[in-house]
Amino acid sequence: METEPETPELAWSAKFAVAHSSRATQLPGDKILLPPSALEQLLAAAPVVTTDSNTTHITSFDPYNPYTFAAERQARAQFQDRHQQLPHPLTFRLVNPSNGRVVYAGIREFSAEDGQTLLSGFLREALGLEAKSTESSRKTSPDGDTDMVNGVEQLEVNGTSSVDSIQITVHAKQLPKGTYVKLRPLEAGYDPEDWKSLLEEHLRANFTTLTNGEVLVVYGGRASNGKREEFRFLVDGFKPEGDGVCVVDTDLEVDIEALNEEQARETLKKIMAKRQKAPGTAEGSSAGGKIDIFKAQEGQVLDGEYVDYELSSWDRTQGLEISLSGVDEGDEIDLFVSPYSSRQRVRPREDEHVFADVSSKYPKRIRLQPTNVELEDAEAIYVSVRAYPADEPSTTPKQFQLKASIYDPQSGPVSEDTNGIESRPDEVQCKNCLQWVPKSSLFLHENFCLRNNIICPQGCGQVFQKRSETFKNHWHCPHDTFTGNTPLSHSKHDALYHTPQTCPSCDMAFPSVPTLSSHRVTEFPQEGDPTGPPNPELLLSGLTPHELADGGRTTECHLCSKIVRFRDMETHLRHHDLERLSRPAPRPCRNVNCGRTQDGVNKLGDTRAGTRKGQGPGNEIGLCSVCFGPLYVSLHDPEGKALRRRIERRYLSQLLTGCGKAWCKNEFCRTGRKNVSGVDKAVPTKDAIPLVKPFLEGMDGRGYETPLHFCTDEASQRRRALGEMLSAEKGLEGKGGYGMEWCVAALEAEGGDLDKARGWLKGWAPQRTEES
């Protein structure tokens, strides 16, 4: 058995100065930047595999033909060039001579300055070039979120990078494909449900190699303190054995083992405690879900957690009010709302929402007018309820009541000054507590009130008992008009409105959380020098630099599942809308008991999907292929006389004997009439023939206006009934609902699932008013 010759190793090494640049903060995982000269050196050092002189000719070679000789020489040159290419992927061994630390890395680009290299924060820490800190961004999260800029000061003057005095040695090193890696958690309590998918995505997006003994940090969501969760793992062994492996284009088995038995016991204990407080349990937050108009939703939420709700349908011609009430005194529960649309597809959070009420007054109300531009093209309304965490978070869930209702702007709110009570001529208002009391008892009331009550001396109008804790804790913000009555509300206000924030995507600074949230839902991260010359793509796109940069990221279209850039999503959805309005209407089966269309439809809105595949109805009388099947014969019948006789016989068979199916509800079937009315009575033949004749038109394929009434299978009959029900709905969007033919098509495409059929209609079908 012949063995393949081993490919020679790529032998190359060079020293580079480590440079500081803002580009380095954007490098993920184990990625480095090298200068273009390094690529030239690597190509020159690439091993060359020459063509064996005994190898048969590559082309159809004729030694007596000079043209074939030239073709053979060119083919051999190309064959040799292909064997001079660099290995894939390129991996490197980085060595810090000052401390002897070693780490493996993958290449991102050959775009650094000559003599310099740029390292990701992860590599800088692994080589000991910066202090270890959980606050540094040595590990870039999968979405590019960083907490600091490399943990060190970055300097850039006129676009040039500052350079460290430290130099590292970069060796080209081809690593074996890893098949197994052992990871050990550095902290107890890691639940695989939290980090398993995050770890897979983190390795795929950020790493080319793994080095034995390095620490991987996988980022999760935001914790209750606002910082991102970190899952830290020690890399402790590979297969094949060695100091490092390549993790690209390989099936890598990952084994998670605790550092010791004590950590394993502590982890199990924490996981069990966490699952006792999982969403939906008695000790945890509510599970959330869908809410309905006018139906209040009772719920509970733990400190620092969110409960997410969704309002999927409402009358878009009227206003909408979302209210939060039923909160105990002293609790701080906030209400966040974001429309779910092509522009905003994430759940509302403290630092990313469209509407919010984070005050300390209840009930909280967010009112949306039908003219709100944010509601344009909104598919649903996302609502989130969050309990603001105290310094010492409580383990007891906090209760609340959430309600969505129609809001009429013509009915103004009740005045809070009078507490909803109209004054009467024989009453007078107390100047201390502002309550209305009878004139006859005003003297006694004022004596008692002045001894026990006090109005806020700072002018907010609130009245307190003089010796109450509420009055002692009452506060006024010196920077704005906010007030509160608890220490928690005071600290919450300072954290939200008077604590500087940094956008996790673009590192822009903002004075408060609301301004950061507005930036994240309306703007895009900045990129490029605004004073520099614009690039050609910027001029052609008509976008700002930060819109162009952030819009280059991609997402999946929720309708067709295609990958689309963010900046192209609006145009992409507009194309879907044009297709929806111009798509040919489906042709339902002429059989009024059948829930199929003549041409077949699919999940992507194609109303001629079956016909395009050669699975059309095969007839011109308006029946689907299933209903026409029993009537088909291989007989030349251009005028449809024989077909008319077969349909007449089928009608008579149904009327006289019935189909015998328990689900049948066909009014032209003896069994169907029995199932519906309970009366088992055959129609006499002399009455049946005149009853059938009006429906026997169009059998020559020249058009028809009458329906047909054939018994069909249970699923098809059920879809037809659901289609009639869907067609009767006028729609909450104020556009008249959908035609019967579209409802039948939707149920056929989604296999009779009513909820999915409504989604199909929303994405692919025009409503009645749009058709007109």
Side-chain angles (χ1 to χ4, degrees), residues 411-459:
S411 59
V414 178
S415 174
E416 296 182 1
D417 294 336
T418 60
N419 294 322
I421 302 175
E422 297 182 358
S423 61
R424 291 175 294 186
D426 58 343
E427 289 185 343
V428 65
Q429 189 176 27
C430 174
K431 296 180 180 180
N432 188 52
C433 67
L434 305 179
Q435 289 187 351
W436 292 88
V437 296
K439 292 180 180 179
S440 58
S441 60
L442 177 62
F443 179 76
L444 293 175
H445 172 82
E446 285 185 340
N447 285 337
F448 176 83
C449 187
L450 291 170
R451 286 197 308 271
N452 296 280
N453 299 330
I454 185 173
I455 192 169
C456 175
Q458 300 185 56

Side-chain angles (χ1 to χ4, degrees), residues 103-296:
V103 67
Y104 293 95
I107 187 69
R108 182 63 177 264
E109 292 176 357
F110 290 94
S111 59
E113 298 293 333
D114 282 339
Q116 299 179 16
T117 181
L118 274 70
L119 309 180
S120 66
F122 169 79
L123 295 175
R124 292 180 61 86
E125 182 182 302
L127 293 172
L129 301 181
E130 63 182 37
K132 291 187 179 180
S133 171
T134 58
E135 297 297 325
S136 78
S137 63
R138 62 197 181 281
K139 304 153 289 286
T140 306
S141 63
D143 59 358
D145 189 9
T146 56
D147 296 329
M148 288 180 59
V149 183
N150 266 351
V152 294
E153 183 180 2
Q154 300 288 334
L155 299 176
E156 249 186 293
V157 182
N158 297 327
T160 60
S161 305
S162 63
V163 183
D164 280 347
S165 59
I166 297 178
Q167 289 192 338
I168 64 170
T169 305
V170 180
H171 303 268
K173 178 67 175 179
Q174 293 176 248
L175 293 175
K177 301 284 187 180
T179 59
Y180 169 85
V181 61
K182 181 190 294 183
L183 302 180
R184 295 186 182 271
L186 295 184
E187 298 177 15
Y190 289 174
D191 189 348
E193 293 183 359
D194 296 332
W195 50 257
K196 188 174 182 180
S197 59
L198 294 174
L199 176 63
E200 180 179 354
E201 175 64 22
H202 185 62
L203 289 176
R204 182 186 297 114
N206 301 299
F207 282 84
T208 305
T209 68
L210 285 179
T211 305
N212 199 19
E214 69 184 4
V215 176
L216 285 177
V217 177
V218 182
Y219 282 86
R222 298 279 176 184
S224 59
N225 58 6
K227 296 182 179 179
R228 302 205 65 169
E229 292 181 297
E230 289 185 356
F231 303 99
R232 301 167 61 86
F233 300 94
L234 173 68
V235 180
D236 188 26
F238 303 113
K239 287 183 182 178
E241 296 183 356
D243 295 333
V245 292
C246 176
V247 294
V248 175
D249 299 331
T250 182
D251 292 328
L252 187 66
E253 180 184 351
V254 181
D255 191 11
I256 309 292
E257 289 187 8
L259 286 173
N260 48 52
E261 292 185 5
E262 183 180 353
Q263 187 193 68
R265 286 193 296 268
E266 184 67 19
T267 297
L268 183 60
K269 181 179 178 181
K270 288 186 177 182
I271 290 176
M272 295 302 297
K274 178 183 176 182
R275 291 183 179 175
Q276 288 180 353
K277 294 182 177 294
T281 61
E283 298 181 12
S285 300
S286 298
K290 293 190 175 183
I291 55 176
D292 299 323
I293 296 289
F294 301 119
K295 184 179 180 181

Side-chain angles (χ1 to χ4, degrees), residues 324-393:
L324 178 70
S325 59
V327 180
D328 293 338
E329 185 178 358
D331 289 345
E332 291 291 334
I333 300 183
D334 299 326
L335 179 63
F336 302 99
V337 174
S338 288
Y340 177 74
S341 66
S342 59
R343 298 181 298 273
Q344 186 72 17
R345 308 192 72 84
V346 297
R347 297 285 182 179
R349 291 296 181 259
E350 179 186 77
D351 58 352
E352 188 172 4
H353 60 265
V354 179
F355 307 101
D357 188 341
V358 294
S359 66
S360 300
K361 296 180 180 180
Y362 301 94
K364 295 184 176 182
R365 294 185 178 92
I366 294 179
R367 289 167 175 166
L368 308 177
Q369 298 286 1
T371 55
N372 275 88
V373 67
E374 292 86 357
L375 296 183
E376 184 180 357
D377 298 328
E379 303 170 30
I381 299 293
Y382 278 167
V383 181
S384 295
V385 177
R386 182 213 187 193
Y388 189 83
D391 294 334
E392 297 181 1

